[in-house]
Each structure stands twice: as structure tokens, then as C-alpha cells.
Amino acid sequence: ASSPKTQGILTIGADARSWWNVGGIFGGRHHSGSAVPPVEPSLKGLPITMYQYEICPFCNKLKAVLDYCQVEYQTIDVNPLTKKQFGFTSELPESHAGHKYRKVPIVKIGEEVIPDSPIIMEHLVKLLADDKDQRARSVAASAKDPTVQSWVVWADKELAVLLFPNLTRTFSESYQAFGYVNDVPGFSMADKLANRWIGATAMWLAQGKIKKKYNIDDEREALATCINQWVSALGQKDFMGGAAPDLADLAVFGVLRAAQGFETSHQLLLQSEVGPWYKRMAAVVGERSHCRTARE
């Protein structure tokens, strides 16, 4: 299969995802040279906790991998305004990449704390390679393919970047996107109201700035054009991995699943031919957080 022109191996720079940090509400950064503690093998025997925002594409990318590989995990939704759930990061050693890290996703695997989705993905791939389940090992093996690597990077640098201006195209859509806060058990009514209105307003107001930064004229058209690159490369195959999804399938699907149920997703399915592939992926991956997630 053809691959996008994006270069890299499961790693992207901070600028490519800086839109997700507008107003300090969403974020992600890439560490170069920072010390990240090693994670011991045997993924399924370790408790996994992901600190997330429900609509974060980078969080959903990781969850798609865990869901497909049937790895149990729990999620903790971070309050986008107070970020009080990140208090534990201040207690990490200053040499740790997660020290005072206040952006999603952060994942705890056993006792180890790992920040930043590309770094987390690298750790997951290493652990899945040693898993007893053939499906998990197959996903890990696919990560060695340069074409798969380039698509995983494309999902972060090209596809995910376009979700923000689409999810926040109008105030109504931005308000809809923040509706997930109403379902977070650990948020007080004040938390829910503040995040629903302040978060939605901040992201909507920032939409024009992001479009200008990334040279986006029509966000809907740009997203459809981007995803059609994937559809074209997919061709007549059920999955990019052939008979079964590979890591590229899971990364792209996870990013798109962040918009599931919103107007952006509806329009995307209408304006592109990604629908059949998306439905096949949804069937094999399962429902988001299905039977595996306990939120605090």
C-alpha cells in the first residue's frame, strides 16, 4: 500500500499538535531526551490507567489499540479547566518526562507513568509484542513496517490536526463536543457547567486562529480531502493490514472515533468513502470503552 509523505517513526513534534493546547484546554508535547522509565513486559497482567479527555483524538487512538487487543484499562477524565487530576505529576522526579506534565494523554502502566501519545504508543507496541494473544502480537509486528509507521504519523500530524476546526466550526458544534463532561461522574455540577460553557466558548473563538495557522480555508473540505488519501491507499482491501487491522488502521480509526456522534463525523461519512471501512473497524474494535473502562 502507498504511504503518506509524512516522515518519522511513531513520533511527531509538538508544533504538529499545538492546536490541541488552545487556551490551555487541550495539549500534547513531545519529549526529546527526557527520561521515561522503562515498562516491564506482560501488558495484560498490569493495571492500566489513562488520563484523558473523551474527545481527544490522541487518547482515542491509544484506546482503539487497547480495545482491539482486548487489554483491560480504566480512564480518568481530566477537568480541562482545573486539571487537578494531574496533581500527582508534581511528585515525580524532575528528571522524569512526566514531571509537572499537565496534558493528555498520560498513562500509568503498573507503577510507571508515561506521558505523550507517541511515547505511550511505542511502549504499548513493545508490550504487545510479548503478549500471549496473537492479535496483539500481530498489531505490534505491523509497527515495524515503514508504511505503517508513516500512516501512524500521518494520523497525528495531518488527520488529527483537522478535527479541532471541524469540531468547533460553530459555537453549537463546539458546545456539542463538550457535552461529554455531563457524563463524567467525578465532575461536580459547577465543573460541568463551567467546562461546557467556558471550554466550548474558548475552543470556538480559537477556531479561526487555528485555521489561519494551518492554512485551512474550508475545514469540512480539508478533512474530507485528507481522509480520502486514506481511502485511496486502502483501495479494495477490507483493512490497510489486509484481512485484519494493523496499527495504521487502529491509529486512523481511533482519531476519527473522537468525533463519533458529532456533526463532523456525520458530514465526513457523507462527503467521503470512508464509511464502509469505518463500520468494519467499529465492528472488530468494539464500542469505545466497552466493558473495560471505569471513570472517576
Side-chain angles (χ1 to χ4, degrees), residues 101-259:
Y101 194 89
R102 293 172 59 80
K103 300 173 184 178
V104 296
I106 294 179
V107 169
K108 288 183 179 179
I109 303 180
E111 297 299 319
E112 306 297 343
V113 178
I114 310 169
D116 200 9
S117 71
I119 297 176
I120 296 167
M121 182 71 89
E122 290 177 354
H123 280 279
L124 290 179
V125 165
K126 291 178 182 178
L127 292 170
L128 290 171
D130 294 328
D131 198 273
K132 296 179 180 180
D133 185 74
Q134 176 57 41
R135 174 184 287 194
R137 294 199 305 273
S138 177
V139 169
S142 72
K144 298 177 182 179
D145 186 328
T147 298
V148 172
Q149 295 171 1
S150 61
W151 278 116
V152 171
V153 175
W154 176 86
D156 279 346
K157 293 184 67 174
E158 306 295 333
L159 182 59
V161 167
L162 291 170
L163 280 194
F164 169 77
N166 275 277
L167 286 173
T168 60
R169 190 172 64 100
T170 64
F171 176 76
S172 176
E173 289 178 81
S174 186
Y175 184 78
Q176 181 190 43
F178 272 80
Y180 82 91
V181 299
N182 289 333
D183 298 323
V184 180
F187 287 7
S188 68
M189 184 55 68
D191 288 335
K192 294 175 181 180
L193 288 173
N195 277 286
R196 192 82 194 266
W197 286 99
I198 297 175
T201 301
M203 298 299 269
W204 174 56
L205 292 175
Q207 201 249 18
K209 192 178 298 183
I210 297 303
K211 287 178 63 176
K212 182 178 181 180
K213 177 176 181 177
Y214 289 101
N215 234 355
I216 300 170
D217 182 24
D218 184 323
E219 58 270 25
R220 287 285 197 260
E221 182 180 352
L223 181 58
T225 298
C226 182
I227 198 58
N228 279 333
Q229 294 180 41
W230 172 259
V231 173
S232 177
L234 186 64
Q236 299 300 311
K237 296 182 296 184
D238 284 347
F239 306 103
M240 193 66 77
D246 59 16
L247 190 63
D249 285 292
L250 294 169
V252 174
F253 173 75
V255 169
L256 291 178
R257 192 164 61 166

Side-chain angles (χ1 to χ4, degrees), residues 239 253 257 260 276-288:
F239 306 103
F253 173 75
R257 192 164 61 166
Q260 185 171 298
W277 168 84
Y278 188 89
K279 290 179 181 178
R280 288 192 294 271
M281 286 297 300
V284 297
V285 173
E287 292 294 327
R288 180 166 40 190

